[in-house]
Amino acid sequence: MPPPHQQIAFLINESEIPTLPLLYRTNKITSNPKPLFAPNPAINAKIGLIRTDITKLHLPNGAIVNAANEALSPGGGVCGAIHSAAGDDLADECKMHRGCETGHAKITRAYQLLCKRIIHAVGPIYWLTKPNNSHARLLESCYSEVLRLCVSNKLTSVAFCALSTGIYGYPSYEAAESALKAVRTFLETEDGMDIKLVIFCNYERKDQDAYLDLMSVYFPPEPEEETAKGAENAETTEETETTGETEITEETETTEVAKSIEETEDDASPPKVEYPDGQRNVLPDPAAEDGKTKHTEPAVKSDKPDQKSAPFEDDELDDFVLIDVEGAEYLKVKSKKTLQ
């Protein structure tokens, strides 16, 4: 029987994961009027966001983050999926670490997963840590610890799942705030320069929605993108207004011409001809006598199905499509590359 990663129909290379510049251009993420950090194009280019099974990611020199428990034993949810995909050897190595405290992380080999390492981070249980107000500090510590382990192990990319938002009960929006704050703060340090890609990989819709709503608060778009967007919107509005004015002008001219024709016809009514049976008629239309009678072709309904609009109109995005694979949504290169 082939290993788990060879049974997966689609594997996603890190180069295929949409980063913030693309997500902003395609309006998947809208800007927030009150960001907490200044725009930084270089940092934005390092942030990826995707909703899929984290075990499908191919990170040649990166790590996948496991939502671990303090015993580092196989569990449910993301933890169970990672242990299942990596194989039994992962659990054996985890036993050697003799557990991990909440807010900390430990690193292991990846085994059958298509990444270089797995980093096991133990997030806080929300209802246990909320009363003493330590929940946010512990969750932020998880993300910072993972990034420090990446730098010390010379890993250039990392994929985070939504830590603590499963059975640990952490609200998705609060968790996303802590994650985004910790990652942004770390990337602005000297060590952060060694990290080339940070992926927020969500499986649940509620977690993805939280990141889509909050991303621009911590990673706002660069002003040039907003200016370009505004120019495009203004151009579209101007074209619409111009078209509207043209339609109004044409309609007015048509009305005036029709009115003029009616007045002419009233002033020059054709002579009446009296027939023996007393019927009244008008002289035939000269155009009809000359064989110039107008003929209007009936509208022909096309049998072709309606064409759906392309996902993106930007020429630069022709190589991307929005696809749905087993309930997971993400932008993917049209070639749909798979690993043999």
Side-chain angles (χ1 to χ4, degrees):
M1 181 176 178
H5 72 265
Q6 292 184 8
Q7 301 174 36
I8 298 174
F10 287 89
L11 293 171
I12 307 168
N13 286 316
E14 62 180 37
S15 61
E16 297 174 335
I17 295 172
T19 54
L20 291 189
L22 174 62
L23 294 173
Y24 280 126
R25 288 202 306 271
T26 57
N27 292 319
K28 293 287 286 184
I29 300 177
T30 56
S31 60
N32 189 290
K34 295 181 179 180
L36 298 179
F37 290 82
N40 188 318
I43 289 181
N44 284 3
K46 295 182 176 183
I47 302 298
L49 179 62
I50 191 170
R51 180 175 176 239
T52 190
D53 179 355
I54 198 169
T55 64
K56 293 180 180 181
L57 302 184
H58 178 215
L59 310 177
N61 190 42
I64 283 176
V65 179
N66 178 29
N69 49 58
E70 289 190 337
L72 297 184
S73 59
V78 174
C79 181
I82 289 175
H83 274 270
S84 177
D88 295 336
D89 290 337
L90 176 59
D92 293 337
E93 182 178 350
C94 285
K95 290 177 183 178
M96 300 172 59
H97 286 281
R98 300 181 181 277
C100 181
E101 295 181 2
T102 298
H104 294 270
K106 292 190 177 181
I107 190 168
T108 66
R109 294 171 57 191
Y111 298 99
Q112 295 181 28
L113 285 179
L114 291 178
C115 57
K116 197 166 186 180
R117 292 287 185 269
I118 299 173
I119 300 179
H120 308 262
V122 182
I125 299 174
Y126 189 73
W127 62 86
L128 293 180
T129 56
K130 174 70 172 177
N132 62 13
N133 218 26
S134 63
H135 57 297
R137 174 181 58 81
L138 291 171
L139 187 57
E140 290 174 20
S141 175
C142 286
Y143 287 89
S144 300
E145 284 286 317
V146 167
L147 293 171
R148 278 192 284 269
L149 282 172
C150 286
V151 173
S152 61
N153 286 272
K154 301 187 184 306
L155 302 174
T156 55
S157 61
V158 58
F160 286 101
C161 60
L163 296 173
S164 288
T165 59
I167 60 173
Y168 281 11
Y170 215 114
S172 295
Y173 273 76
E174 291 186 40
E177 286 180 328
S178 293
L180 293 168
K181 177 183 176 183
V183 170
R184 177 60 193 258
T185 301
F186 186 89
L187 291 180
E188 290 190 338
T189 66
E190 186 175 351
D191 286 341
M193 298 177 65
D194 295 330
I195 302 293
K196 305 305 179 186
L197 181 64
V198 177
I199 305 159
F200 294 103
C201 181
N202 301 302
Y203 190 77
E204 297 290 342
R205 168 67 68 182
K206 64 182 181 68
D207 299 322
Q208 183 77 349
D209 288 344
Y211 277 90
L212 288 171
D213 289 346
L214 295 172
M215 186 66 74
S216 62
V217 177
Y218 297 88
F219 298 90
E222 53 184 313
E224 289 77 5
E225 292 182 5
E226 289 298 297
T227 302
K229 268 190 194 177
E232 290 177 3
N233 293 337
E235 183 178 349
T236 303
T237 303
E238 184 178 349
E239 288 178 357
T240 303
E241 292 176 351
T242 303
T243 303
E245 292 175 359
T246 303
E247 290 176 353
I248 292 173
T249 303
E250 290 178 352
E251 184 178 353
T252 304
E253 291 176 352
T254 303
T255 303
E256 292 177 353
V257 170
K259 186 176 179 182
S260 175
I261 292 174
E262 290 177 359
E263 292 175 352
T264 303
E265 290 178 349
D266 291 340
D267 295 339
S269 300
K272 299 176 182 178
V273 178
E274 297 293 337
Y275 289 91
D277 55 4
Q279 293 180 348
R280 298 170 63 187
N281 201 351
V282 296
L283 291 176
D285 185 359
E289 291 182 348
D290 295 338
K292 299 179 181 178
T293 305
K294 295 181 179 180
H295 177 67
T296 303
E297 291 293 336
V300 179
K301 185 176 181 180
S302 175
D303 294 330
K304 296 182 181 180
D306 294 337
Q307 296 294 327
K308 294 183 179 179
S309 60
F312 309 114
E313 296 179 358
D314 193 327
D315 292 340
E316 297 181 7
L317 307 178
D318 285 345
D319 292 333
F320 291 86
V321 290
L322 182 63
I323 66 175
D324 186 353
V325 179
E326 300 177 2
E329 295 179 355
Y330 57 94
L331 293 171
K332 188 174 176 65
V333 174
K334 280 183 179 177
S335 62
K336 297 182 182 177
K337 299 177 182 177
T338 57
L339 299 177
Q340 302 297 330

